């Protein structure tokens, strides 16, 4: 017979907690808990922003490396074309 906890039982427990700790202490605990949750959310948001900026920076690096490789291959093709013309003469 483990019926649920009724509203009256919750009110009695709440009354006992208020008598033991007092409203000021409970208010401080509530504000501390709220600040902790807010700080946790902010940290998670900052972490996401950091990951996005790092991935964007990595994409920029990849694109610049690809561009330098493309220009290197283009210059190699130009040199090999010039060498072919020199051999033909």
């Amino acid at each position: 017979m483990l019926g649920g906890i009724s509203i009256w039982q919750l009110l009695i427990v709440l009354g006992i907690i208020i008598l033991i700790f007092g409203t000021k202490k409970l208010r401080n605990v509530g504000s501390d808990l709220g600040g902790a949750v807010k700080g946790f959310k902010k940290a998670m948001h900052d972490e996401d922003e950091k990951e996005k900026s790092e991935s964007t920076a990595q994409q920029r690096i990849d694109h610049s490396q690809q561009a330098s490789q493309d220009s290197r291959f283009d210059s190699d093709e130009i040199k090999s074309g010039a060498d072919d013309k020199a051999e033909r003469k």
Side-chain angles (χ1 to χ4, degrees):
M1 304 253 174
L2 292 175
I5 298 175
S6 71
I7 189 74
W8 294 111
Q9 292 170 337
L10 287 175
L11 288 174
I12 291 170
V13 169
L14 181 64
I16 293 170
I17 290 174
I18 289 174
L19 286 174
I20 292 173
F21 294 109
T23 57
K24 186 175 181 181
K25 185 84 154 182
L26 290 176
R27 191 177 318 132
N28 289 341
V29 169
S31 64
D32 290 345
L33 183 62
V37 170
K38 188 181 288 187
F40 178 75
K41 285 182 180 180
K42 185 177 186 291
M44 292 300 292
H45 180 69
D46 291 346
E47 180 97 11
D48 291 341
E49 291 295 322
K50 182 179 176 184
E51 288 176 2
K52 285 179 184 177
S53 65
E54 286 177 356
S55 66
T56 303
Q58 184 62 37
Q59 288 174 351
R60 288 184 195 142
I61 292 170
D62 292 343
H63 289 305
S64 65
Q65 288 176 349
Q66 182 66 32
S68 66
Q69 288 176 354
D70 290 345
S71 65
R72 193 173 343 136
F73 290 134
D74 291 342
S75 63
D76 289 344
E77 290 175 3
I78 292 170
K79 288 178 185 176
S80 65
D83 292 339
D84 291 341
K85 287 182 183 178
E87 288 177 8
R88 289 183 194 162
K89 289 185 179 179

